[in-house]
């Protein structure tokens, strides 16, 4: 039985003097699931979160928590836990007092509160730190205190706004795992804001990609990454190649796209586009292959390697296919084909199933 509540937003908007920060956001989130709002700066993520929390009044629309309309319920009556990037701990209180604060506000009996504080401090790995002051803690420890404080009163919903933004990469990865672990263990419903796409992919049950105050994609991490529904999402999440093409009617019913920059045609699933339309072939760098005679591909183009970036377990190559067309190809560094040298010619290929034709 999840502790968390379900959440639904209906046509939520927020205008500032005519400017639409959020322009009609609708979504529903199952109890116990993890939703990430992902999007570029200014796309409306924080504003959406603030409306759910009750810190910003919607211009229109409705917010339901477990089916109950809370649109006009004051923030402190919404039973929501929040974690921000800058911890926002009280410096004059000990760690235990910080974590116990929401319980004091809710007039929970002292002995029960002390037990709960200790339980949640242990849960975030700080069982021995209750008497310290927050300035005696590292950034990661402070963020764990903030997390314990947000969870200690068993909120129906937990909202997190870039909670790991201030931490170094290693600590961030560790905290991602810890947050995810607590979320599944306690069955929490979480709405998480980040502009770190990797974080969104690893933590979420679903990702809502926001652009200009609207949700342009709502899907699982796998779908968001592998079969994005539009060019914005394809370009925003992960590395991408976009090759301009024109959909052509192929003889014999096959699907074909013509690449004007190279004046060649390739096999592609163009079924959702009318012949004659301009489109782009979208393909991830790791789906492109540098091929030789022993590994021919259906679609194969000749190019010249113009750059290499060493990434540790893999390398990213830039390959020029024509005067106006360059692609990036990612290849594991061990056990794959012959060496690639910058300045040398090579063949780049892909399977039609590994590419998607998207509207230009
Ligand atoms: P970031 O990733 O930079 O935090 P965000 O996606 O969270 O961005 P919001 O903070 O929700 O974006 O802001 C959305 C838009 O609304 C921005 O263009 C912002 O300038 C505008 N905005 C936000 N708060 C206000 C305000 N109080 N008054 C006027 N405009 C605002």
């Amino acid at each position: 039985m999840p502790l968390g509540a379900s959440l639904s937003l209906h046509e939520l908007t927020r205008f500032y003097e005519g400017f639409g920060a959020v322009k009609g956001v609708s979504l529903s989130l199952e109890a116990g699931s993890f939703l990430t709002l992902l999007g570029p700066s200014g796309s409306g993520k924080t504003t959406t979160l603030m409306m759910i929390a009750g810190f910003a009044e919607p211009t229109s629309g409705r917010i339901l928590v477990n089916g109950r309309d809370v649109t006009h319920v004051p923030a402190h009556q919404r039973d929501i836990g929040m974690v921000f990037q800058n911890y926002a701990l009280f410096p004059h209180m000990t760690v235990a007092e910080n974590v116990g604060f929401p319980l004091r506000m809710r007039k929970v009996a002292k002995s029960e509160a002390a037990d709960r504080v200790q339980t949640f401090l242990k849960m975030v790995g700080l069982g021995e730190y209750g008497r310290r002051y927050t300035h005696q803690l590292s950034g990661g420890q402070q963020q764990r205190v903030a997390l314990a404080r947000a969870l200690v009163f068993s909120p129906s919903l937990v909202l997190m706004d870039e909670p790991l933004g201030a931490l170094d990469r290693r600590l961030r990865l560790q905290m991602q795992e810890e947050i995810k672990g607590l979320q599944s263990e306690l069955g929490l419903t979480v709405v998480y804001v980040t502009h770190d796409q990797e974080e969104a992919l690893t933590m979420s049950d679903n990702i809502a990609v926001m652009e200009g105050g609207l949700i342009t994609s709502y899907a699982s991490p796998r779908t968001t990454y592998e079969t994005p529904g539009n060019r914005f999402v394809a370009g925003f999440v992960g590395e991408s190649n976009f090759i301009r093409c024109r959909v052509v009617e192929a003889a014999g019913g096959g699907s074909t796209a013509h690449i004007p920059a190279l004046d060649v045609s390739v096999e592609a699933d163009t079924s959702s586009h009318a012949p004659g339309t301009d489109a782009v072939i979208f393909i991830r760098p790791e789906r492109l292959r540098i091929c030789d005679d022993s590994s021919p591909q259906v679609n194969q183009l000749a190019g010249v390697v113009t750059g290499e970036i060493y990434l540790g377990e893999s390398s990213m190559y830039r390959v020029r296919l024509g005067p106006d067309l360059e692609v990036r190809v990612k290849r594991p560094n061990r056990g794959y084909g012959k060496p690639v040298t910058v300045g040398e010619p090579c063949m780049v290929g892909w399977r039609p199933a590994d590419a998607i034709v998207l509207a230009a």
Side-chain angles (χ1 to χ4, degrees):
M1 176 74 183
L3 176 68
S6 63
L7 169 72
S8 51
L9 309 180
H10 298 274
E11 285 299 320
L12 209 55
T13 71
R14 169 81 199 198
F15 282 82
Y16 294 104
E17 290 156 11
F19 171 78
V22 173
K23 298 195 282 203
V25 160
S26 299
L27 58 85
S28 38
L29 184 56
E30 266 175 46
S33 68
F34 194 117
L35 171 71
T36 294
L37 303 180
L38 179 70
S41 188
S43 56
K45 309 180 295 290
T46 298
T47 305
T48 302
L49 209 66
M50 289 299 148
M51 289 193 282
I52 300 171
F55 297 137
E57 179 84 8
T59 307
S60 63
R62 294 195 307 146
I63 303 166
L64 305 179
V65 174
N66 263 349
R68 171 179 164 236
D69 192 329
V70 299
T71 318
H72 303 291
V73 172
H76 68 276
Q77 290 172 12
R78 287 197 191 184
D79 194 26
I80 288 175
M82 291 213 60
V83 189
F84 301 97
Q85 174 169 347
N86 52 3
Y87 326 129
L89 299 174
F90 305 114
H92 60 286
M93 291 184 193
T94 64
V95 165
E97 286 165 350
N98 262 286
V99 176
F101 183 77
L103 301 175
R104 231 172 63 220
M105 291 293 101
R106 287 168 174 77
K107 307 213 175 349
V108 174
K110 269 196 175 149
S111 63
E112 191 197 331
D115 285 350
R116 289 193 71 92
V117 167
Q118 200 45 36
T119 304
F120 278 85
L121 278 178
K122 269 196 198 143
M123 211 177 267
V124 298
L126 294 177
E128 309 299 316
Y129 288 71
R131 288 166 185 277
R132 288 213 197 176
Y133 283 88
T134 53
H135 69 265
Q136 297 170 310
L137 302 177
S138 71
Q141 289 167 337
Q142 290 186 40
Q143 196 53 288
R144 289 202 186 98
V145 176
L147 190 60
R149 189 179 61 181
L151 303 181
V152 74
F153 60 98
S154 306
S156 51
L157 199 58
V158 183
L159 309 179
M160 303 196 194
D161 194 352
E162 300 264 359
L164 310 180
L167 306 181
D168 68 53
R169 184 178 153 77
R170 233 181 91 166
L171 197 52
R172 211 162 66 222
L173 295 179
Q174 186 189 336
M175 288 293 297
Q176 283 173 10
E177 269 187 40
E178 288 178 18
I179 291 174
K180 191 63 199 162
L182 278 175
Q183 185 258 334
S184 5
E185 190 184 324
L186 300 174
L188 302 171
T189 308
V190 175
V191 183
Y192 194 93
V193 164
T194 184
H195 49 229
D196 179 337
Q197 21 157 314
E198 213 177 298
E199 192 161 288
L201 290 172
T202 56
M203 296 183 78
S204 323
D205 294 313
N206 281 298
I207 297 175
V209 180
M210 293 193 70
E211 183 194 8
L214 292 168
I215 292 179
T216 57
S217 160
Y218 188 97
S220 70
R222 187 178 291 274
T223 302
T224 305
Y225 185 81
E226 300 203 2
T227 49
N230 62 61
R231 188 174 172 167
F232 175 78
V233 176
F236 189 72
V237 181
E239 301 257 7
S240 337
N241 293 297
F242 293 110
I243 302 173
R244 288 180 171 282
C245 69
R246 172 161 290 185
V247 175
V248 287
E249 201 143 28
S255 285
T256 307
H258 180 254
I259 302 173
L262 307 175
D263 195 19
V264 295
S265 289
V266 293
E267 206 175 294
D269 178 1
T270 54
S271 51
S272 43
H273 305 270
T277 45
D278 288 324
V280 287
I281 297 169
F282 155 70
I283 183 157
R284 297 281 183 205
E286 69 272 19
R287 295 296 174 118
L288 282 178
R289 301 285 161 81
I290 290 176
C291 31
D292 49 40
D293 297 342
S294 67
S295 61
Q297 299 284 317
V298 174
N299 293 325
Q300 199 161 288
L301 304 170
V304 175
V305 183
T306 53
E308 175 185 5
I309 299 170
Y310 178 73
L311 299 170
E313 89 284 7
S314 59
S315 291
M316 185 76 86
Y317 298 97
R318 268 186 300 131
V319 179
R320 181 175 299 137
L321 299 176
D324 298 317
L325 181 58
E326 208 165 66
V327 290
R328 281 171 301 167
V329 185
K330 194 176 183 184
R331 191 171 84 156
N333 279 331
R334 280 194 67 171
Y336 277 84
K338 59 176 191 185
V340 176
T341 314
V342 174
E344 296 279 306
C346 74
M347 297 298 286
V348 170
W350 70 93
R351 297 185 312 156
D354 284 337
I356 302 177
V357 179
L358 295 171

